[in-house]
Amino acid sequence: MNPDLIQRLRQAVSEGRAQPLELAMAEWADRHGGSAIEVLAFAACIRAVAEGHSCLPLADEPLAIPGEAPFCPADEALDSLRRGRLVGTPGETRPLVLENERLYLHRYWQYEQQLAEGLLALLRHEPTVVPPGPLARDGGVFDYSRIPDGAVHWQAVAAAVAMRHRFAVISGGPGTGKTYTVLRLLRVLIESARARNEAAPLIRLAAPTGKAAARMVESIKTGLASMDCDRAVADAVPLDAHTLHRLVGIGMGTTRARYNRDNPLPADVVVVDEASMVDLPMMAKLTDALAPQARLILLGDRYQLSSVESGSVLAELCESTGVNRFSPSQQAALGPLAVSTPPAEPPYPLADHVVTLQISHRFDAGSDVGQLAQAVNEGDEARVLELLADGAKSLQHEAANGDAVYDRLSADMAQHFETLGSSQSPADALAFLGRRALLCALRVGPGGSVDMNRRITDHVTRQAGLAPNTRWYSGRPIMVLRNDYRAGLFNGDTGVCLRHETGQLRAWFHTEQGLRGFMPTALPEHETAYAFTVHKSQGSEFDQVNLLLPERDNALLTRELLYTGLTRARDSLQIIGSEAVLLQALRRRTRRYSGLRGRLLQARINPKS
């Protein structure tokens, strides 16, 4: 037993240095005969997962109670854990797994191993010969009118790579045409099957959230309307998209998926949008659910924020591939579609499977927001400050914050939302939500989303003549915080409360089943959403964005957060926060500990790929 250690952990929880779940797991390990090192290891692994890591590299992160010095040197901790009764090696069924000095909760070791095995199964398929005709400059499905002679059409290259392999990542920032690309890819796959007198491939579209799935469907419908193709081809493209939970068959009260390697998902092609938001457990379940002949295509932005939960799978899959640096064999196979570039160094199994789109059609080369996004992505501090000081109408910077600024911004946002409750229809009201967003870097604290929602709500209720603390009223925007499979609402979905023609209030959402109204009492856990965090904004676009940074630096402020927040803006952006805090965020990169890349590097892949 380790009473002193447990008492110190309790003190850390009471002071906010540790979370209750860390203490609970440490107490469990103590009751089950764990040594002091094992007790600390359980708490540390729980903390690591909560911070987005899948494992804890003990050489880099010595075991310690938060706020205290390391308990012992890393080599002593490793020796003790190797002898521990609660710690096993890969393949052993024990609560913790120690592998190559990385410490895992057993479940997360399993997820990582499962994902690696699923990806390797896809990577080992022999590459397919891609006919150049459908993707070529003359007579192909891609528009080359904006591509100079001799330049690479990266959208066509991305389609060729996704046709050539069973697994592909198509990465690109806002407006680079990921949906445009995949729609033409699907067209070629369907037309190729018809030319062989085969049935069209069964295609499934998915996204991490209901909101992202709905946006994907909108993009597909818009793209189909502008694409000249046979009716039979268009009919083979699905006009619905599912959340990943629903796609793999995860229901209420369970994390077990209905579809797995023993009961594969009926699909020939699976396309997942907003893949940067997909966490490690879900990506593992997805690859496990694929049928042997299935093709998996991930769409996302490799530079965007990772999932709120554990893992940064998309970024890690793109790591070390470089940007469009293919193997010599792939460059030869792509022929005139691609330009010869040095291959990824060191040779990386995924290099031939990742394509990064280069041109944004939302932000042209002269766009202020587009230039700022590029400067932030490159960590170019001087260029960021130059652009913010330029005074462009579409790009503004207010270098002060605090209560006076927060109250003024709250009043401004309340005035913006004043007409929301009298919208002509739920569809109009939900479209109104896309006009402007107040994005907060943090959830709690001054200037966090909780604080700003309280301030804006006070203004809204006063100007509407409502009693203080009125919760339900027409025009209240809301965001779902917990998945509800029965209702078809998922974490991150946004809706709006409106007065029904019967006089009753209904909360309206775009769902997988279309536009639906819910009784307020039927909603899962939710909150007011006049403002929300940058994390919650992923998968959304707004005409105007106000990006609010905290008054002081915070470890959660990263370059990826800045990039994600500012690229939500279609037309104009205002950043509110000091230059010092902005630069600190720009210098800090998101760091997620994982062993996935190592598993893929160590594996033997088909040498012909």
Side-chain angles (χ1 to χ4, degrees):
M1 301 291 284
N2 304 277
D4 177 64
L5 188 60
I6 295 298
Q7 183 55 40
R8 286 158 57 194
L9 276 167
R10 286 178 182 149
Q11 182 68 23
V13 171
S14 70
E15 295 175 359
R17 292 182 281 122
Q19 297 301 312
L21 185 56
E22 297 172 38
L23 173 61
M25 291 303 294
E27 290 175 330
W28 181 93
D30 189 49
R31 289 194 305 271
H32 286 78
S35 66
I37 291 294
E38 288 176 293
V39 168
L40 274 180
F42 270 88
C45 283
I46 290 293
R47 185 164 59 253
V49 168
E51 292 173 350
H53 310 294
S54 62
C55 64
L56 190 67
L58 294 172
D60 298 322
E61 296 288 337
L63 293 176
I65 294 174
E68 298 186 13
F71 191 79
C72 66
D75 55 349
E76 287 184 24
L78 285 165
D79 287 342
S80 178
L81 290 170
R82 291 187 183 108
R83 299 190 303 269
R85 60 186 300 175
L86 302 179
V87 182
T89 57
E92 292 184 303
T93 307
R94 297 197 189 180
L96 296 181
V97 175
L98 183 60
E99 180 182 27
N100 298 328
E101 300 188 355
R102 296 190 304 269
L103 189 64
Y104 294 83
L105 293 172
H106 187 272
R107 175 179 292 184
Y108 284 85
W109 177 86
Q110 238 175 352
Y111 285 142
E112 195 174 275
Q113 183 68 18
Q114 185 180 34
L115 175 56
E117 291 173 355
L119 290 173
L120 290 169
L122 292 166
L123 298 178
R124 288 185 177 120
H125 280 280
E126 288 282 344
T128 302
V129 176
V130 178
L135 309 178
R137 180 178 290 271
D138 298 321
V141 299
F142 284 93
D143 178 10
Y144 277 80
S145 62
R146 298 174 64 179
I147 308 297
D149 288 343
V152 177
H153 196 318
W154 289 111
Q155 294 171 332
V157 171
V161 167
M163 291 177 66
R164 179 170 157 76
H165 301 291
R166 293 282 183 176
F167 174 70
V169 174
I170 301 177
S171 172
T176 51
K178 296 183 290 292
T179 305
Y180 171 92
T181 301
V182 81
L183 191 53
R184 277 146 187 82
L185 163 65
L186 297 179
R187 172 182 172 178
V188 174
L189 291 174
I190 294 165
E191 289 177 342
S192 298
R194 293 183 67 205
R196 298 190 302 267
N197 293 318
E198 296 175 0
L202 179 58
I203 300 164
R204 305 293 293 272
L205 307 177
T209 67
K211 178 172 61 177
R215 285 186 51 78
M216 187 182 193
V217 170
E218 291 174 16
S219 297
I220 290 289
K221 288 179 177 178
T222 301
L224 277 174
S226 63
M227 187 170 68
D228 182 21
C229 63
D230 291 347
R231 179 71 183 181
V233 173
D235 289 343
V237 177
L239 296 181
D240 61 344
H242 300 284
T243 62
L244 284 168
H245 286 84
R246 192 177 296 277
L247 182 75
V248 302
I250 298 175
M252 187 175 295
T254 179
T255 60
R256 189 181 299 275
R258 174 186 175 190
Y259 295 109
N260 51 53
R261 66 183 65 187
D262 298 320
N263 180 36
L265 177 72
D268 300 305
V269 181
V270 176
V271 182
V272 180
D273 200 8
E274 296 294 346
S276 65
M277 299 168 63
V278 184
D279 59 28
L280 171 65
M282 179 54 71
M283 196 70 85
K285 291 180 174 76
L286 173 63
T287 55
D288 192 54
L290 294 175
Q293 82 286 354
R295 190 185 304 269
L296 176 62
I297 303 164
L298 303 181
L299 309 179
D301 188 342
R302 63 194 291 178
Y303 304 115
Q304 197 168 289
L305 273 171
S306 301
S307 65
V308 177
E309 307 300 334
S310 62
S312 52
V313 177
L314 186 73
E316 194 167 2
L317 294 180
C318 297
E319 188 180 1
S320 300
T321 65
V323 176
N324 301 329
R325 296 179 67 177
F326 308 132
S327 69
S329 61
Q330 174 138 304
Q331 290 179 3
L334 294 175
L337 283 178
V339 62
S340 178
T341 61
E345 293 291 346
Y348 187 52
L350 281 161
D352 283 351
H353 300 258
V354 178
V355 181
T356 303
L357 303 181
Q358 302 289 290
I359 300 172
S360 174
H361 302 285
R362 183 196 305 174
F363 305 131
D364 61 37
S367 159
D368 299 308
V369 177
Q371 289 184 72
L372 181 63
Q374 181 177 352
V376 166
N377 196 27
E378 295 172 351
D380 188 339
E381 297 178 20
R383 182 61 174 151
V384 167
L385 295 179
E386 178 188 354
L387 288 164
L388 291 178
D390 194 41
K393 185 177 181 181
S394 62
L395 189 61
Q396 299 176 16
H397 178 216
E398 184 168 352
N401 50 13
D403 282 338
V405 174
Y406 300 152
D407 282 337
R408 176 165 47 80
L409 181 58
S410 299
D412 183 38
M413 293 299 296
Q415 184 176 14
H416 168 72
F417 280 102
E418 188 173 9
T419 61
L420 182 59
S422 57
S423 299
Q424 293 297 308
S425 68
D428 287 345
L430 290 169
F432 181 92
L433 296 181
R435 288 172 53 186
R436 182 177 179 183
L438 172 57
L439 304 184
C440 302
L442 305 180
R443 174 173 169 77
V444 297
S449 61
V450 173
D451 177 45
M452 296 307 296
N453 273 314
R454 177 187 58 78
R455 293 171 186 265
I456 298 169
T457 299
D458 287 347
H459 282 285
V460 168
T461 52
R462 279 202 306 270
Q463 67 192 22
L466 299 171
N469 300 320
T470 299
R471 188 178 183 205
W472 290 105
Y473 51 88
S474 189
R476 179 194 177 204
I478 48 183
M479 176 175 285
V480 173
L481 300 177
R482 179 177 54 79
N483 295 338
D484 186 332
Y485 305 99
R486 190 174 299 155
L489 295 174
F490 297 89
N491 187 5
D493 286 351
T494 51
V496 63
C497 191
L498 294 176
R499 186 76 60 184
H500 192 262
E501 57 187 15
T502 62
Q504 294 181 312
L505 288 171
R506 293 285 190 276
W508 292 91
F509 291 84
H510 285 301
T511 72
E512 293 176 271
Q513 290 77 39
L515 186 62
R516 293 182 61 194
F518 296 84
M519 291 285 291
T521 54
L523 293 176
E525 183 183 355
H526 58 277
E527 65 183 4
T528 301
Y530 291 113
F532 41 94
T533 62
V534 173
H535 264 107
K536 292 290 189 181
S537 75
Q538 289 178 267
S540 300
E541 297 175 5
F542 308 93
D543 295 336
Q544 178 183 351
V545 166
N546 301 89
L547 177 57
L548 182 56
L549 304 180
E551 297 173 47
R552 288 180 290 275
D553 185 35
N554 186 290
L556 296 177
L557 297 178
T558 63
R559 184 184 302 179
E560 291 81 3
L561 184 141
L562 288 177
Y563 173 81
T564 302
L566 70 91
T567 54
R568 300 309 92 200
R570 278 188 289 253
D571 300 324
S572 65
L573 168 74
Q574 181 192 37
I575 296 179
I576 305 163
S578 71
E579 180 179 303
V581 170
L582 176 67
L583 291 179
Q584 284 292 94
L586 191 61
R587 293 163 187 160
R588 185 182 291 116
R589 303 302 304 270
T590 298
R591 181 176 63 171
R592 294 277 176 98
Y593 296 129
S594 164
L596 178 62
R597 179 172 174 266
R599 296 181 197 282
L600 297 176
L601 277 171
Q602 293 166 10
R604 293 186 177 181
I605 309 297
N606 186 336
K608 297 181 181 179
S609 64

